[in-house]
Amino acid sequence: MNEEAALKLFKCLGDKSRFGILKSLAKEDMYVELLAERLGLTAATVSFHLKKLEDAGAVSSYKEQYYTIYTINKNIFMTSILDIIFRAGEEENEQQKREDAYRKKVLESFFEYGRLKSIPAQRKKEKIILEEIAKDFEKEKEYPEQEVNDIIMKYHDDYCTIRRDMIAEGIMERNGNTYIKK
């Protein structure tokens, strides 16, 4: 079940009458008039709720003589809510695409010919810039302060601010005059 279908089902289940219909259909398949009689509702009300349940995939119908019989789709209720939540869906891919596009836009806005035009004022944008600069450092390798300054100077003259902000963001760690990329 994808995320959209799950949300539709959850919205549908938030109604007492629909829940009563599902409880009745869990015992046996029924037609509208019988459900209406058992639940104390009008046939029109039951038909309305059955349409919502059918649209959400909770029930289905079949013809028997001139009656439309409704049955609960048990397999849809066998799926655990955690399975639905943890299932990687299209939504996660879309979110990743939007994040990548945003990251690319920020990098294009602040870099020109491989150099940083200015340090962003917004923390979120600055972190993207710092992560990009940090790609020039090897993970877990110790760097003397001068080497860190030289690498940062390839991007921007204010190496002190960038170095300090990389430490503040947890991208690098300082131990005396030695720096390590995390």
Side-chain angles (χ1 to χ4, degrees):
M1 176 183 307
N2 66 22
E3 194 171 319
E4 187 178 326
L7 289 173
K8 198 172 191 178
L9 178 64
F10 294 153
K11 285 180 184 178
C12 187
L13 294 176
D15 184 275
K16 186 177 180 181
S17 297
R18 291 184 202 137
F19 198 71
I21 290 169
L22 288 172
K23 282 172 54 176
S24 294
L25 290 177
K27 295 176 187 165
E28 64 179 303
D29 296 354
M30 294 184 207
Y31 54 95
V32 173
E33 290 77 13
L34 181 58
L35 279 165
E37 185 180 316
R38 285 195 177 176
L39 298 170
L41 300 170
T42 65
T45 301
V46 171
S47 291
F48 169 80
H49 289 303
L50 282 168
K51 174 72 173 125
K52 295 282 187 185
L53 288 166
E54 201 166 23
D55 289 346
V59 300
S60 57
S61 62
Y62 60 92
K63 286 280 194 188
E64 192 173 281
Q65 294 178 341
Y66 46 82
Y67 288 105
T68 301
I69 308 293
Y70 290 88
T71 184
I72 192 167
N73 291 335
K74 291 180 181 174
N75 61 339
I76 206 166
F77 294 104
M78 297 299 184
T79 305
S80 124
I81 292 174
L82 285 176
D83 289 341
I84 295 167
I85 292 170
F86 290 130
R87 185 171 294 142
E90 299 161 11
E91 186 69 25
E92 288 178 17
N93 294 334
E94 285 300 313
Q95 287 175 353
Q96 189 60 49
K97 285 179 188 175
R98 286 191 294 268
E99 286 177 27
D100 292 344
Y102 178 75
R103 182 178 181 81
K104 182 180 178 198
K105 182 180 170 189
V106 169
L107 293 174
E108 288 172 352
S109 297
F110 286 93
F111 279 101
E112 187 172 68
Y113 304 114
R115 291 221 9 114
L116 186 60
K117 293 190 277 187
S118 63
I119 299 171
Q122 288 182 348
R123 186 172 181 195
K124 181 179 179 181
K125 291 178 181 178
E126 184 184 16
K127 185 169 183 179
I128 291 170
I129 298 301
L130 296 174
E131 288 169 346
E132 187 66 21
I133 293 171
K135 289 180 180 177
D136 271 6
F137 295 93
E138 290 179 40
K139 200 169 187 161
E140 302 299 328
K141 180 182 173 187
E142 291 188 4
Y143 291 91
E145 188 169 305
Q146 187 57 50
E147 191 175 350
V148 171
N149 295 344
D150 291 342
I151 292 170
I152 294 173
M153 289 265 299
K154 292 190 306 187
Y155 295 98
H156 197 269
D157 293 334
D158 190 358
Y159 58 85
C160 292
T161 300
I162 292 174
R163 187 184 66 222
R164 182 189 66 233
D165 291 349
M166 288 175 99
I167 293 166
E169 286 293 339
I171 296 170
M172 294 197 82
E173 191 175 90
R174 180 179 179 178
N175 188 5
N177 286 339
T178 306
Y179 295 81
I180 301 170
K181 179 184 173 187
K182 289 184 171 183

